[in-house]
Amino acid sequence: MMSRGPAANDGLHLVPFRGLRYVPERVGSLAAVTSPPYDVVVRPDGLHHLESADPHNIVRLILPQAVTAGTRHRKAAVTLDRWLAEGVLAPDPEPALYVYEQSGDGILQRGIIGALELSTPAEGIVLPHEDVMPHVVEDRAALMRTTAANLEPLLLTYRGNGNGTAEVIERTVHREPLLATTTEDGFHHRLWAITDPGDLATVSTGLAEHQALIADGHHRWATYLRLREEHAQPSPWNYGLVLLIDTARYPLRVRAIHRLLNRLPVGDALAALGDSFRVRRVEGTLPAAMEALAAATSDGNAFLLAGDGTFHLVDRPDPELLARTVPADRPEAWRTLDATVLHATLLDHLWHIPDDPEEISYIHDTEAAVAQAQRRGGTAVLMHPVREEVVRDLARQGVTMPRKSTSFGPKPATGLVLRSLALD
């Protein structure tokens, strides 16, 4: 593992590592052993689908199944050791940074995967924008601690300035890739290794000029920081696996994360609103209803409630109610977020629903949120996405948004390259 030199500045410090990768001859296909990030594989049917795709699918490491948490984590560590011993996974011969490309659904995204030196939010190098749940951090920490591995890269973004880092990426993608695969969502994935000392130095110098925003992986970043505190430094635990995307060249899509209120029927949710919001029934399909939501958000806070077979547009909150319920000690951009109003005004004040897993589920897919609300007799609260500029500006001010406020994508496929701390 490279260490920070005396002349390095306070920006991003990304270093090469010996990537662990699947040996193609030992698995059915690379596509069959990959998965979305652990927190996107939320449904049991999705987990079982991935487990059955290939006996070596990466979900057996990131979401091991057993009765107790301790047993789950030990099972993942044993599985990882067995796959290494059997040659299912193997380390690359020398440390590298990895250029990673995703394409599909009208998107082309390229970035660099490496081991990033950790920093606290107060240092202003890596900026979080959402709060985290302690029990999730504890679970991820136990898994990383037991496996001594970073099993999936976090998604971080920065705003590049056209320096040498971009040139190295664009030059690298003209070479033959280490791997190429197409996952069942139709996205194409390619990976290249950067090992040339000159290219590595160019990337290091270019990234050192920047700060990054955590687009996806707040709990895992908090986990990295927790585990760093458990180990004397210098140590491989002072670095964490990340994918860095220059969104000046490759803008990400920002989608909302919807809420499923498991125990609140739509009728009760609407009745509790009283005259605090305007409520209108929206006829037609889900896409048409989401278009109506998008139009309504241009005038202020708006939400779409579903779960009873119809769609209800909820907007134009009472200003006096907002003044009473939304904390006044934050910037206006935070106070006017849909997620802020949802949690402070609707969930806390009008619906009296605590933010715990039994009461609220967080679902990325719009259709899945509606279907599960109908199946459970609950309420899906559908959200409109926040612009990336708003997220970044709040993060630079040190202001975190309510958790699960945004979903940046496309997210990196898990399983293409892993980092074992034992190799650093």
Side-chain angles (χ1 to χ4, degrees):
M1 173 70 67
M2 297 167 55
S3 60
R4 181 184 286 272
N9 66 19
D10 292 328
L12 300 169
H13 186 226
L14 191 72
V15 301
F17 68 103
R18 287 183 67 193
L20 281 183
R21 294 190 296 110
Y22 279 99
V23 177
E25 295 78 15
R26 298 304 305 274
V27 298
S29 72
L30 289 175
V33 295
T34 63
S35 87
Y38 81 98
D39 57 340
V40 179
V41 187
V42 293
R43 303 188 315 277
D45 56 335
L47 178 63
H48 297 154
H49 171 72
L50 290 166
E51 285 183 327
S52 62
D54 188 284
H56 302 107
N57 189 282
I58 193 68
V59 294
R60 297 180 186 274
L61 300 183
I62 63 172
L63 290 172
Q65 299 300 295
V67 175
T68 67
T71 305
R72 288 198 303 272
H73 303 140
R74 288 191 295 274
K75 183 177 180 181
V78 169
T79 300
L80 176 59
D81 289 344
R82 186 176 72 253
W83 289 357
L84 287 168
E86 294 174 350
V88 174
L89 288 168
D92 281 336
E94 58 183 318
L97 296 177
Y98 296 86
V99 171
Y100 175 48
E101 178 189 272
Q102 292 168 275
S103 59
D105 195 23
I107 294 177
L108 174 64
Q109 178 173 285
R110 292 171 179 156
I112 293 186
I113 295 175
L116 184 66
E117 185 174 24
L118 306 182
S119 59
T120 64
E123 295 173 76
I125 300 171
V126 175
L127 307 174
H129 70 268
E130 290 184 355
D131 296 327
V132 298
M133 295 175 285
H135 74 279
V136 176
V137 175
E138 179 56 42
D139 177 73
R140 291 294 101 183
L143 179 64
M144 285 190 205
R145 190 185 297 117
T146 307
T147 59
N150 299 155
L151 300 173
E152 47 187 338
L154 283 63
L155 177 60
L156 274 60
T157 72
Y158 68 100
R159 301 290 292 177
N161 52 12
N163 60 22
T165 301
E167 296 175 3
V168 171
I169 292 174
E170 301 309 318
R171 186 169 64 249
T172 299
V173 298
H174 291 292
R175 304 196 327 245
E176 189 71 19
L178 292 174
L179 64 84
T181 190
T182 301
T183 45
E184 68 177 7
D185 58 3
F187 269 82
H188 308 290
H189 307 262
R190 297 197 293 172
L191 192 78
W192 297 260
I194 304 175
T195 57
D196 177 79
D199 286 344
L200 292 173
T202 297
V203 171
S204 177
T205 300
L207 291 177
E209 303 173 3
H210 299 290
Q211 61 182 184
L213 175 73
I214 301 176
D216 186 67
H218 284 82
H219 290 90
R220 284 166 286 165
W221 185 259
T223 298
Y224 288 166
L225 293 175
R226 173 179 293 193
L227 294 175
R228 179 181 69 169
E229 297 305 311
E230 298 177 5
H231 296 82
Q233 300 302 324
S235 160
W237 294 93
N238 192 34
Y239 297 81
L241 185 63
V242 304
L243 165 64
L244 281 165
I245 300 289
D246 175 3
T247 53
R249 295 179 68 88
Y250 298 105
L252 272 66
R253 285 182 177 170
V254 187
R255 290 191 167 101
I257 302 177
H258 310 297
R259 275 64 169 162
L260 172 57
L261 312 182
N262 295 304
R263 300 177 178 176
L264 182 68
V266 174
D268 293 349
L270 294 172
L273 298 179
D275 297 327
S276 300
F277 286 77
R278 182 176 67 169
V279 179
R280 291 175 289 161
R281 182 166 170 166
V282 180
E283 303 294 341
T285 63
L286 177 56
M290 293 302 291
E291 289 181 9
L293 173 63
T297 55
S298 63
D299 295 326
N301 301 116
F303 312 92
L304 192 67
L305 306 190
D308 62 351
T310 59
F311 302 108
H312 308 270
L313 185 61
V314 175
D315 64 355
R316 296 191 183 179
D318 178 4
E320 292 185 3
L321 175 64
L322 296 183
R324 293 197 313 271
T325 57
V326 175
D329 60 346
R330 304 285 183 91
E332 182 180 0
W334 180 89
R335 297 197 308 271
T336 56
L337 288 170
D338 286 338
T340 298
V341 172
L342 172 61
H343 283 262
T345 304
L346 288 167
L347 293 173
D348 292 350
H349 184 75
L350 294 177
W351 292 333
H352 306 291
I353 296 178
D355 191 1
D356 65 55
E358 290 186 356
E359 299 286 348
I360 304 176
S361 300
Y362 291 82
I363 301 179
H364 294 72
D365 183 80
T366 307
E367 292 182 0
V370 174
Q372 290 196 39
Q374 292 176 339
R375 187 162 56 246
R376 299 180 188 179
T379 297
V381 183
L382 306 180
M383 313 275 287
H384 186 68
V386 182
R387 299 192 318 278
E388 181 186 354
E389 310 89 80
V390 174
V391 177
R392 192 176 296 275
D393 287 346
L394 286 172
R396 284 176 174 154
Q397 297 177 59
V399 178
T400 54
M401 300 165 65
R403 65 184 184 88
K404 301 295 183 182
S405 294
T406 58
S407 175
F408 286 85
K411 304 178 191 302
T414 297
L416 295 180
V417 61
L418 290 62
R419 173 179 176 246
S420 169
L421 280 80
L423 295 174
D424 289 343

